[in-house]
Amino acid sequence: MTDAEAFASIALAAVACDGTLGREEAHALRRSLEFRTPYKDRTEQQMGAMFDRLLVTLREQGVDQLVTDALPVLTAIQQETALAVAVQLTHADREVSEAENDFLHKLCKRLDLPEGRAVAVMEAIMALHRDSLST
């Protein structure tokens, strides 16, 4: 697995962790990657082929295995960014389910980041999505 596939695996796991891959989540997944290196230089066919491979692993082995395969490939900085993207994606449909929340907390524990860093990243992204002006 390449680092690009590993990074995309974490993002895919985030949108699939609740057992559904909705239209809004699929669009958010695409938007979260399309301007990043190396994805921005890939054709639709190349991106489709990469996701087809990742979806096979997801279907056959599940979300946990997708993450297990991906994490060792990513550097600490890449893991931190992948976490931020994962948190962003769980908010794509404006509702974070219990399954998504559990996934994020488990992911935080599995990352090779300094103590407290993963939770700080997760909380910062969640704060961006907080509807703090609603009554």
Side-chain angles (χ1 to χ4, degrees), residues 45-77:
Q45 293 78 17
Q46 290 170 320
M47 290 296 288
M50 179 186 71
F51 275 110
D52 286 345
R53 288 189 301 277
L54 298 178
L55 284 166
V56 167
T57 301
L58 178 65
R59 280 192 294 271
E60 292 177 356
Q61 299 175 21
V63 168
D64 287 338
Q65 190 61 48
L66 195 60
V67 172
T68 297
D69 292 347
L71 287 179
V73 178
L74 299 173
T75 66
I77 294 295

Side-chain angles (χ1 to χ4, degrees), residues 43-135:
T43 66
E44 290 288 325
Q45 293 78 17
Q46 290 170 320
M47 290 296 288
M50 179 186 71
F51 275 110
D52 286 345
R53 288 189 301 277
L54 298 178
L55 284 166
V56 167
T57 301
L58 178 65
R59 280 192 294 271
E60 292 177 356
Q61 299 175 21
V63 168
D64 287 338
Q65 190 61 48
L66 195 60
V67 172
T68 297
D69 292 347
L71 287 179
V73 178
L74 299 173
T75 66
I77 294 295
Q78 291 168 333
Q79 287 182 14
E80 183 178 271
T81 306
L83 171 62
V85 169
V87 176
Q88 177 85 13
L89 289 169
T90 61
H91 286 81
D93 60 0
R94 294 169 200 79
E95 283 186 40
V96 179
S97 70
E98 189 65 32
E100 290 168 326
N101 196 40
D102 288 346
F103 169 79
L104 292 174
H105 283 92
K106 287 178 187 175
L107 180 60
C108 283
K109 291 177 183 173
R110 296 179 69 183
L111 298 174
D112 187 23
L113 298 176
E115 183 71 30
R117 181 67 182 155
V119 172
V121 168
M122 184 172 70
E123 289 175 349
I125 301 303
M126 292 172 84
L128 289 172
H129 289 278
R130 187 179 307 127
D131 192 8
S132 62
L133 298 176
S134 65
T135 56

Side-chain angles (χ1 to χ4, degrees), residues 15-27:
V15 297
C17 69
D18 62 356
T20 61
L21 181 56
R23 184 177 181 93
E24 284 184 55
E25 290 174 322
H27 285 194

